[in-house]
Amino acid sequence: MTTGQTQTEPQQERGQSRDFKIVVAGDVIAEARLAKSKVRPPAHHVTLFETAAYLEPYWQHVGATTIAEIIKRALAGIPSLSQRDERPYVISPTGWGLKVAKNNEDDIRTDPRFWGSYLVCAQFPKESGGDRGVAWRIEQTIGYERSSPTAELDNLSPDDSGDADLVVVNQSLGDEEKRRGFMAHEGAWPASLCKPTSSPWLVIEWSRPRVDSKNTKFWEMLVTRFSRRIIVVVTAEDLRAAGVRISRGLSWERTLTHLFEKIHELWECEPGQRPGPLCGCAQLVVSLGTSGAAVFTGPTGKMRAQLIYDPRFLEDGWDERFEGAMNGVTSCLTAGIALEVVRAGKSFTGLDGSGARAGVIAARCAVRTGFWPVGHMQSSDTELPGDLRFPSSFAARALRSVLAKRSVIGVIDAAASRLRTELSRPGASDTKERLTQLVGEYLAELEGTARFDRAAVLEEIERIYDDWTECDPAGTDREHLLASLPPANGSPASERSTLKVIAEHAKLAAQHKGRLIERIMLFLAPDDAAISEAESLQDVEIVETEDWRSRLPGWSILEEKLPRGRDDTAPAAKIVQQCRTLVESGDGTSLPFPTMRIGRLLLTSRDELESLTIVRELMEDYIRGVEQAPLSIAVFGPPGAGKSFAIKQLAKNIPPCRYTNVETLTFNLSQFSTPEALAVALQQVRDLGLSGMMPLVFWDEFDTRFEGMIGWPRYFLAPMQDGKYQDGSAIYYIGRAIFVFAGGTSGTFGDFITKQQEANGEWKATAIEQKLPDFVSRLKGFMDVAPIEYQAADGGHVVIDAATALRRAKLLRAILEESGADLDETIPAEPGARRTELRKRFNVDPGVMAAFLRVPSFKYGVRSMEAIVKMSGLTGKNRYDRSSLPPEKQLDMHVDAKAFLEIANGDWADCALSEPER
């Protein structure tokens, strides 16, 4: 095995193209994936505790080689991502990445130049709750080790003459002070990094970066040679580990705000000021896992931040659907950034976010796929594969598809479909020569439409074929099957056995060929799923202004996408139009701003989303923990705001663990007349807990008047603190429970506190007498539920804000779903189009919908919306029209009937929610 293998530089075809040279270097890690088998081979059944029988090591070089492999396979496919007059090629220490043969594992395991990484891998469902097979992912990370820490890395450096156009460096293990890893061994740096003869751009994937004021020798060298041409890729987790305070999973706005504030400080480059650690860097890309990424540009002029995010998930939210972990996520992002540079060519000046978007999708592809199992062991009673590799081909395909021009994708897809048909014909893939001939004809069909490197494509096809013949077990299995043919003696039983074996042989042959065709198409055909997923990602920008420090704390992506406006303006019409889509299509609607869906609850407001996320995490941590005293949380909001609805939806959707169900109990304290009634309620809570359920107790109107003051909180002090209550002379333990205290006299937690405190912030004497400070000190969190009414504006108008309008829309949808009316109708995917694709929508009169969405307020909040629907004549109806609304006098019980009906009976054009004249 040659560990110093390099890819030679191609000769430039003068007069036809100019080469774009990419050098990949950095830390190379020998990764051992210890795969766990679920079936023990028979030879080991005699030993009771032979754990080694369950494990099989698979070795592969990762780190810099992973990045190089992804980039090379992306460039080898169709279409080319490079400029028309530039031909990109890659040189790296290990070519395509070392493939370690079984009999040569000791070479990589004992090579002193490599750090060893050890993982335990197991099979997990491809997606939680799905039945689409299994994937190999990481169950446990064991750690790193190196046989000779003093070994030099010089002979791992690529054969480079220093004239690269792009240098990509992976720094996974670097510790300059301890002489560990690539950054500490200057002799391992390629010439294009330490002595560049051109002006290349540098992309560096930097793990555990230094964010203090002490710049390392490595970074000082980079700034000296690549000033203003450096793109750093880091993860938010590494920044957190380095001491940067960045919120996690509360809201995209808060995460980006924290990043903006800290990176602005690190990027200080003002003359006369001490330069920050990032001074000299052109752009910084912060990985937010598989949910998004942030691209920062600066510091010349005004710093700019571009957030690429999935509005359906918060940070780490996308990963929650997958069991097991997966490495290489950041390498996918780094490869995406590098390919964006390649696509722009030698005229590249800065990132536009497309590479980060593609990198996020490629990372998702890697997580979804898991380590790719090639074949399986020859023994048929084990589930271990023949090899277990990082899915670089799948990540490369996703990158290539997302970054390609849409006009080319359709042509490639159609040609690939025809190729699949040809490959499925008898004899089409029996030999490598016949296979490459058919693929060559496919390539000829694409010439003139899509640019590509024909030689690179055919080379990859040959590699796939060789891989298939070497690792796919069907050939050996068929030989074993034919060897099992019974001797022909003319008997009916012998003939039946022979026919059965022949049929099984044909089945194995078809499966064998099908796997080859599938691998070829995974390389040649565009990844439509990746393209669609990339289009669902959104982006938003923050640009440094003079007042950015005061503006960012209240910044909202929702307000950025759908700014509020008076009800007779275009911004308001745009908001209501978005709400109409939500009512008609329900949760299937893709909204262009951050959302959180919990059961039938939709959150779009930054404040509500953050507070509910905190409450949800408190509940989930409590349920998974061992704390014996109840968890106490407060919820505030005006009457009818939907406090109980929000908590009950949250309780129904808490992931199950040791408690299979969370059961909700509701007690309205305004109906209790004595403390003994509270003891009876607590007894019900105790009984429910003893039955194996987790009680979630909703104490409604806890701040109601009792004994001439806010008297109930004092009776909850012992239950909240110790989990005990007294009934007569006896003391009982409540057990584990979640207490939710809903306020009925204050709209927010801040209002509740302000009413009980003096102007200087001290508690009033009456509040101390009512034990309110003790009560508040026992709360672990709170949530404010916003009202569903609009703010008044001049001239009898109201200001329509997106958060309130969208909340009304989601509530209206939920109420209509429970009404019993059959409002579903099927329509073409595009109105008026003659297509086979259909979609469902709720058949609601646009005037009725406009009235619910645009009326200034409801007298009793959500309860009024629900009452109006129930009062409407919807029995047996398949459309909620104007004639279904209740009479005006009945309607006036819950809303200003005149205003409501004026909107409902307006002109059809206005009711259709078209934009009004400005």
Side-chain angles (χ1 to χ4, degrees), residues 252-267:
W252 285 120
E253 291 93 339
R254 187 174 293 271
T255 298
L256 188 60
T257 295
H258 285 175
L259 280 170
F260 197 91
E261 292 173 345
K262 185 59 181 180
I263 290 173
H264 188 276
E265 175 186 330
L266 298 176
W267 223 327

Side-chain angles (χ1 to χ4, degrees), residues 336-375:
I337 298 300
L339 288 170
E340 182 181 341
V341 178
V342 172
R343 188 176 66 169
K346 297 184 179 183
S347 60
F348 174 79
T349 57
L351 301 174
D352 60 14
S354 58
R357 182 184 299 265
V360 169
I361 300 303
R364 290 184 176 187
C365 182
V367 171
R368 188 183 288 113
T369 305
F371 295 111
W372 183 246
V374 182

Side-chain angles (χ1 to χ4, degrees), residues 5-279:
Q5 174 187 356
T6 61
Q7 179 175 333
T8 57
E9 301 185 21
Q11 296 295 320
Q12 182 171 336
E13 301 174 12
R14 295 183 180 179
Q16 297 181 10
S17 66
R18 53 189 180 127
D19 292 330
F20 188 90
K21 180 178 176 181
I22 308 161
V23 173
V24 181
D27 289 312
V28 178
I29 303 168
E31 184 171 273
R33 298 169 188 139
L34 305 174
K36 295 174 64 175
S37 172
K38 294 183 179 180
V39 180
R40 188 192 302 191
H44 297 286
H45 285 183
V46 294
T47 57
L48 296 178
F49 305 104
E50 183 56 76
T51 57
Y54 290 87
L55 297 175
E56 179 73 22
Y58 301 91
W59 292 86
Q60 185 178 8
H61 285 107
V62 297
T65 57
T66 299
I67 298 174
E69 191 170 347
I70 295 173
I71 294 174
K72 288 177 180 179
R73 288 185 172 169
L75 293 175
I78 305 172
S80 171
L81 299 176
S82 62
Q83 292 285 339
R84 182 170 296 276
D85 60 343
E86 295 177 356
R87 183 164 55 94
Y89 67 97
V90 181
I91 64 170
S92 62
T94 54
W96 284 99
L98 295 180
K99 176 185 173 185
V100 183
K102 286 291 179 185
N103 57 351
N104 287 330
E105 286 178 356
D106 286 341
D107 294 348
I108 181 174
R109 187 162 46 196
T110 59
D111 194 318
R113 297 172 301 169
F114 303 123
W115 281 79
S117 170
Y118 297 88
L119 311 172
V120 177
C121 300
Q123 289 178 318
F124 296 95
K126 275 205 167 179
E127 190 166 344
S128 297
D131 56 354
R132 295 163 47 192
V134 295
W136 287 93
R137 301 194 188 101
I138 302 170
E139 181 180 77
Q140 180 185 0
T141 299
I142 298 177
Y144 293 91
E145 63 88 24
R146 188 175 179 191
S147 58
S148 177
T150 59
E152 291 293 334
L153 308 178
D154 296 25
N155 54 354
L156 274 180
S157 180
D159 184 12
D160 170 34
S161 56
D163 58 345
D165 298 288
L166 172 64
V167 181
V168 183
V169 175
N170 170 271
Q171 186 273 305
S172 301
L173 300 166
D175 190 324
E176 202 168 349
E177 296 177 358
K178 297 181 180 179
R179 298 284 298 165
R180 183 174 67 187
F182 175 82
M183 67 184 292
H185 294 80
E186 191 168 354
W189 300 348
S192 291
L193 182 65
C194 58
K195 297 178 181 179
T197 60
S198 55
S199 299
W201 276 80
L202 172 65
V203 176
I204 174 169
E205 179 186 318
W206 202 336
S207 300
R208 292 174 293 282
R210 294 284 295 270
V211 296
D212 53 24
S213 58
K214 297 179 181 179
N215 290 328
T216 65
K217 176 184 176 182
F218 180 66
W219 180 252
E220 289 175 350
M221 181 278 299
L222 296 182
V223 171
T224 300
R225 296 167 186 169
F226 296 87
S227 182
R228 301 288 184 254
R229 299 192 311 278
I230 304 174
I231 302 170
V232 177
V233 181
V234 298
T235 68
E237 280 304 307
D238 279 340
L239 290 176
R240 292 183 180 111
V244 179
R245 181 176 174 270
I246 306 170
S247 69
R248 181 189 288 106
L250 288 181
S251 69
W252 285 120
E253 291 93 339
R254 187 174 293 271
T255 298
L256 188 60
T257 295
H258 285 175
L259 280 170
F260 197 91
E261 292 173 345
K262 185 59 181 180
I263 290 173
H264 188 276
E265 175 186 330
L266 298 176
W267 223 327
E268 179 60 58
C269 286
E270 290 293 330
Q273 301 289 333
R274 183 183 179 86
L278 294 178
C279 186

Side-chain angles (χ1 to χ4, degrees), residues 374-488:
V374 182
H376 58 69
M377 303 293 286
Q378 297 305 318
S379 173
S380 60
D381 53 11
T382 176
E383 296 181 9
L384 290 173
D387 202 356
L388 203 61
R389 303 175 187 169
F390 183 82
S392 55
S393 295
F394 296 85
R397 181 189 182 212
L399 289 170
R400 189 168 57 245
S401 300
V402 173
L403 286 169
K405 292 182 179 180
R406 299 284 79 84
S407 58
V408 178
I409 289 296
V411 177
I412 298 174
D413 207 10
S417 179
R418 291 190 289 273
L419 176 63
R420 180 189 289 273
T421 302
E422 289 298 321
L423 292 176
S424 301
R425 299 184 188 282
S429 57
D430 289 348
T431 65
K432 185 192 299 186
E433 291 72 20
R434 177 57 179 156
L435 176 65
T436 53
Q437 178 187 349
L438 288 175
V439 175
E441 294 172 0
Y442 159 78
L443 298 179
E445 182 181 349
L446 292 175
E447 288 180 356
T449 301
R451 295 183 296 110
F452 53 87
D453 187 333
R454 182 186 180 91
V457 174
L458 293 177
E459 181 182 346
E460 182 68 3
I461 293 296
E462 291 181 359
R463 186 193 67 80
I464 292 172
Y465 185 90
D466 292 340
D467 209 25
W468 171 73
T469 55
E470 178 182 346
C471 298
D472 197 291
T476 304
D477 287 348
R478 281 184 288 164
E479 291 175 7
H480 285 251
L481 192 64
L482 291 175
S484 67
L485 277 171

Side-chain angles (χ1 to χ4, degrees), residues 482-499 502:
L482 291 175
S484 67
L485 277 171
N489 54 20
S491 66
S494 175
E495 291 182 3
R496 285 195 299 270
S497 297
T498 301
L499 290 174
I502 292 174

